[in-house]
Amino acid sequence: MTDVPPGYFLALAGLMFTIGVIGVLVRRNAIVLFMFIELMLNAVNLVFVTFARMKGNIDGQVLVFFVLVVAAAEVVVGLAIIMLIARRRASANVDDVRLLKW
Amino acid sequence: MTTDAVLAPFIIGLPLAGAVILLLFGKRMGRVAGVIGSATVGVAFILGVISFFSLLSRPEEERAVSRHLFEWITAGSFQAGVDLLVDQLSIVMVLVVTGVGALIHVYSIGYMHGDERYPRFFAYLNLFVAFMLVLVLADNLLLLYVGWEGVGLCSYLLIGFWFERRAAANAAKKAFIVNRIGDFSFLLGILLLAFTVGSLTIGGVNSAAAGELTAGTATVAALLLFGGATGKSAQIPLYVWLPDAMEGPTPVSALIHAATMVTAGVYMVVRFSPVFEASGGTALAVVAWVGAITALWAALMACAEYDIKRVLAYSTISQLGYMFLAAGVGAYSAGMFHLVTHAFFKALMFLGAGAVMHALAGEVDMRKMGGLRKAMPVVGLTFLAGVLAISGVAPFAGFFSKDSILASAWFEDQYALWGIAVFTTLLTAFYMARLFFRVFEGDLKVPEGAHPHDAPRSMAAALVPLAVLAVIGGVINLPRLVTLEHFLEPVVGESHVPTGLTPWVLGGIALLVGIAGILIARAFYTTTAGATRRQRLQRLAPWFVTAVRNKFFVDRIYGRGIVLPGKALASFSSSVLDTKVIDGVVNGVAWLIGRGAEEGRHVQTGYVRNYAVITLLGVVVLVGILFLRIGVA
């Protein structure tokens, strides 16, 4: 396998992260927002792995596992909340759930 | 340990214990309270006498004994203990305070009889004696200051003893506040000495004054200390409280405002005479001139006063002026001598005036009295002894003490001071004789409804011994025989009144002037022609008569110049500074935060993406800062 320069990985990670950010900012469907958040997390994971490989250090790879575990837990909680909201309001639009405001 | 050192704490402790007991249990005691109050001071006097003889029995150079009771303040290198100093000077003061004090306590048993707060009166009086003894026995300035403030407090409590009367309450406040002004100066003086000398013991301060203290520092320190003395001893410019202090019960006037507390300033100046001398003449000159001018000033006002107690109050101010004059020309023992004799005859006259008031249902206006000598012979006769003593008629006590002051001024080449003092002697004899002739001589005249009677036994028991002392008190300092001067020498230094003809001539002049004063008063106040003579004299300088009758407008000037601006400042502070500025700042901060929160809470839109944008912006800023700080790798 030929070595791909790390810059490519990083560029890809940056692209993914940016897409994630823009997605979170412009979409309103809670499920979609979740996906964009996952996208950002994975962008970060990619950066971790890239650097781990670059430096020959296993730490980055270990951290990825942490991120995956935490992300899984977060999704469980988050989806449960979305489910409950959807049952009450018959919608997954986050703009409808703006009770905690001034 | 020597007997006097052992006894010293008990001399203070007895009246203090009396005060505590009377304050706690006095209400249930009734008349016994007076006996207890008198007994504690009486026993303290006996202890004082024993101490005095114990002190006399030792050779001259071993007479001063300091007793360390306990450590009080230790801060770094600074130390102040509760130390008592028994020496020639303090033992004289102890004897005067407890001796005259005990007599006045006995007198009060009769005078205060029937007062609803009778036990409390004796409690305060005992407390006063205790504090006064702390003041005179203290071996360091800080402890002396405790006594100094303590007597001020008791003075306040006792002037305002009949606080239901508005005038008494006001007089008490005036005395306290005016004294505070002086005390502040005194405190500054103490602090200055503490900083420059590093020790506040009497020995430490005085030896430093004789050695390392610079003339400038010594002058400032001495003047600050003297500022305190002008308050406590009622000298110009702070004398205004003393005449008003006559609102208090008469025994209080006799004990505190004639015999003891007001002499504390004189005692202090004598005690710290090396500090005053270290200033190279300036401080002493100030002391002497303030004393002389006060003596004259107060004597003038005494001539125009009709309230018998106020005449005595002005007379006290005037006599205190003499004492400061003596201290100012370096004649400390003469000053102390006059302090002692003055305690005798002025306490006597106050108690006599009290007996008159007692007999005339509290009347103090001498225009409404006359011919009381036949109605109250004991009071009349003892009062006469006091008048002759203060007028400087030989061989009464006042002649010797006043003469030694006059002679000291003369031999220090202070002829101007001598002149003022001699003229004041004339005035003194005049106003005292005027008081005597108006009240005791002539036809019997009493306010309506009063039935004059002679002093009751407890009062006479105080009047007679004091009268005897006023007559023979001079023997404690007969020139070249028994001498207080010689006794005090180790503390205050030698006095330099030379022998020869001059002292006799000076004494003769003082005597003649005193007699002249009495004769003038006699010409004015005993004959029917006197009234026209007075009018003719007053027509010579009507503006001066008006000025004197209005007490030189000093109270009004202080009122307009100091009290009114002070009140204006206070009301400005309370109505503008406090409510607008201070409250304004506090309320303003609260308003600002409330208002800011009101506006700021609109940030919480509830839209998730708004929060996301803000988070993003935060990240961008943080990363931007990191880049700027570290630089792009």
Side-chain angles (χ1 to χ4, degrees):
Chain A
M1 198 174 107
T2 48
D3 272 355
V4 182
Y8 286 26
F9 290 102
L10 293 181
L12 177 62
L15 190 66
M16 282 163 71
F17 193 86
T18 314
I19 291 170
V21 168
I22 293 170
V24 168
L25 291 183
V26 299
R27 298 302 298 264
R28 286 171 195 185
N29 189 306
I31 311 261
V32 179
L33 284 189
F34 247 103
M35 290 176 356
F36 281 117
I37 291 170
E38 292 306 312
L39 199 59
M40 284 191 280
L41 285 171
N42 281 318
V44 175
N45 283 346
L46 188 54
V47 173
F48 274 131
V49 174
T50 308
F51 280 115
R53 229 189 114 129
M54 238 174 85
K55 305 275 178 188
N57 187 328
I58 201 93
D59 288 356
Q61 309 221 7
V62 174
L63 265 174
V64 169
F65 278 100
F66 274 106
V67 174
L68 286 178
V69 171
V70 172
E74 176 232 326
V75 166
V76 169
V77 176
L79 279 178
I81 293 172
I82 292 168
M83 280 288 294
L84 287 171
I85 293 172
R87 267 192 212 161
R88 272 183 173 258
R89 311 202 156 221
S91 128
N93 190 336
V94 287
D95 282 1
D96 289 347
V97 207
R98 47 188 297 245
L99 300 170
L100 276 176
K101 58 167 185 174
W102 51 273
Chain B
M1 206 169 356
T2 56
T3 321
D4 42 357
V6 174
L7 289 180
F10 291 96
I11 296 179
I12 297 175
L14 270 169
L16 189 63
V20 171
I21 290 171
L22 289 176
L23 275 178
L24 292 180
F25 312 111
K27 269 201 174 151
R28 269 167 255 160
M29 288 179 182
R31 268 187 86 78
V32 185
V35 179
I36 292 182
S38 313
T40 54
V41 182
V43 175
F45 175 64
I46 295 169
L47 296 184
V49 173
I50 297 172
S51 303
F52 173 67
F53 282 110
S54 144
L55 187 141
L56 267 189
S57 67
R58 292 197 299 274
E60 217 161 74
E61 57 276 10
E62 290 168 25
R63 282 182 181 169
V65 189
S66 183
R67 167 99 189 267
H68 178 74
L69 288 183
F70 53 87
E71 217 40 77
W72 180 23
I73 296 171
T74 313
S77 64
F78 177 80
Q79 275 201 332
V82 173
D83 302 331
L84 302 181
L85 175 68
V86 183
D87 69 353
Q88 291 90 332
L89 185 58
S90 55
I91 201 76
V92 168
M93 290 300 287
V94 166
L95 289 178
V96 170
V97 171
T98 54
V100 177
L103 288 175
I104 291 170
H105 275 74
V106 172
Y107 176 92
S108 307
I109 295 177
Y111 189 81
M112 296 303 285
H113 172 64
D115 193 277
E116 54 174 332
R117 287 188 294 272
Y118 180 84
R120 197 195 292 180
F121 181 77
F122 283 93
Y124 288 164
L125 222 51
N126 264 5
L127 189 65
F128 166 77
V129 172
F131 272 125
M132 190 67 205
L133 289 167
V134 169
L135 196 163
V136 297
L137 283 170
D139 193 12
N140 67 54
L141 256 173
L142 223 48
L143 191 59
L144 190 149
Y145 190 64
V146 170
W148 188 272
E149 291 294 350
V151 292
L153 168 72
C154 294
S155 161
Y156 165 78
L157 291 172
L158 286 164
I159 295 169
F161 189 72
W162 290 319
F163 51 79
E164 299 93 338
R165 289 194 357 240
R166 199 168 177 75
N170 283 342
K173 277 187 285 182
K174 184 174 179 181
F176 197 76
I177 292 167
V178 173
N179 262 301
R180 286 300 316 159
I181 298 170
D183 293 350
F184 184 63
S185 157
F186 191 55
L187 185 59
L188 286 181
I190 293 176
L191 291 177
L192 178 64
L193 284 173
F195 276 118
T196 50
V197 179
S199 151
L200 286 178
T201 60
I202 289 173
V205 169
N206 281 348
S207 63
E212 75 247 25
L213 215 57
T214 61
T217 318
T219 310
V220 176
L223 288 179
L224 285 172
L225 292 182
F226 182 62
T230 57
K232 193 109 314 190
S233 296
Q235 297 296 293
I236 288 175
L238 297 180
Y239 67 89
V240 287
W241 66 271
L242 190 59
D244 286 11
M246 296 301 119
E247 292 293 338
T250 307
V252 173
S253 312
L255 179 61
I256 301 185
H257 306 120
T260 53
M261 183 188 86
V262 288
T263 61
V266 181
Y267 166 78
M268 191 270 295
V269 171
V270 173
R271 182 53 99 186
F272 293 98
S273 55
V275 179
F276 284 80
E277 276 175 3
S279 88
T282 322
L284 281 180
V286 170
V287 174
W289 276 98
V290 167
I293 293 169
T294 307
L296 178 62
W297 187 261
L300 282 172
M301 286 186 281
C303 295
E305 187 61 66
Y306 290 107
D307 178 327
I308 48 177
K309 280 186 75 183
R310 277 170 178 263
V311 171
L312 293 174
Y314 282 119
S315 160
T316 304
I317 299 173
S318 172
Q319 299 299 312
L320 288 165
Y322 271 111
M323 296 173 209
F324 280 111
L325 165 61
V329 296
Y332 305 109
S333 49
M336 288 305 293
F337 182 31
H338 197 55
L339 188 159
V340 174
T341 57
H342 175 255
F344 296 154
F345 59 68
K346 188 54 66 61
L348 166 67
M349 284 191 285
F350 264 116
L351 296 185
V356 170
M357 286 167 64
H358 191 74
L360 300 184
E363 184 57 60
V364 288
D365 192 333
M366 64 168 93
R367 281 170 296 193
K368 296 181 186 159
M369 310 170 187
L372 288 177
R373 196 149 68 98
K374 282 159 214 112
M376 31 200 333
V378 175
V379 178
L381 207 63
T382 50
F383 202 94
L384 180 63
V387 170
L388 291 176
I390 195 176
S391 305
V393 174
F396 293 84
F399 166 73
F400 296 100
S401 56
K402 197 175 280 184
D403 176 50
S404 64
I405 291 174
L406 294 175
S408 308
W410 178 272
F411 287 113
E412 287 294 316
D413 299 329
Q414 301 285 357
Y415 302 115
L417 290 174
W418 180 82
I420 294 175
V422 168
F423 182 61
T424 307
T425 304
L426 180 75
L427 289 176
T428 308
F430 171 74
Y431 67 70
M432 286 317 309
R434 163 178 177 260
L435 173 66
F436 183 80
F437 289 134
R438 267 190 182 269
V439 175
F440 291 101
E441 293 293 322
D443 302 325
L444 185 68
K445 187 165 77 173
V446 293
E448 259 175 66
H451 308 285
H453 53 84
D454 211 354
R457 241 184 308 161
S458 61
M459 292 186 174
L463 286 172
V464 173
L466 281 173
V468 172
L469 286 170
V471 176
I472 62 161
V475 297
I476 61 172
N477 197 23
L478 278 181
R480 285 175 292 281
L481 289 174
V482 206
T483 69
L484 180 73
E485 238 165 59
H486 183 68
F487 178 67
L488 288 176
E489 245 170 39
V491 185
V492 301
E494 284 177 49
S495 54
H496 350 266
V497 172
T499 53
L501 189 63
T502 334
W504 290 101
V505 175
L506 291 175
I509 293 174
L511 178 59
L512 287 177
V513 167
I515 292 173
I518 295 177
L519 291 179
I520 295 171
R522 186 162 164 268
F524 277 175
Y525 293 99
T526 53
T527 56
T528 40
T532 47
R533 285 195 196 124
R534 292 205 301 270
Q535 276 168 7
R536 215 181 304 146
L537 188 72
Q538 283 165 5
R539 239 174 279 134
L540 285 179
W543 55 272
F544 189 72
V545 175
T546 320
V548 175
R549 286 221 171 114
N550 288 288
K551 307 179 179 58
F552 295 110
F553 305 102
V554 170
D555 273 328
R556 241 175 277 181
I557 292 168
Y558 284 0
R560 296 263 165 80
I562 297 166
V563 178
L564 267 191
K567 278 186 177 166
L569 186 67
S571 72
F572 170 78
S573 299
S574 75
S575 65
V576 178
L577 210 60
D578 219 38
T579 53
K580 300 266 160 60
V581 178
I582 307 286
D583 287 1
V585 167
V586 174
N587 292 339
V589 168
W591 177 85
L592 202 68
I593 289 171
R595 198 59 227 206
E598 190 77 14
E599 298 299 321
R601 69 182 192 163
H602 290 289
V603 175
Q604 311 275 339
T605 54
Y607 289 115
V608 174
R609 55 191 136 77
N610 287 3
Y611 304 151
V613 167
I614 291 166
T615 313
L616 182 70
L617 286 176
V619 171
V620 169
V621 168
L622 280 178
V623 171
I625 290 172
L626 274 177
F627 268 127
L628 287 179
R629 294 277 303 271
I630 306 167
V632 189

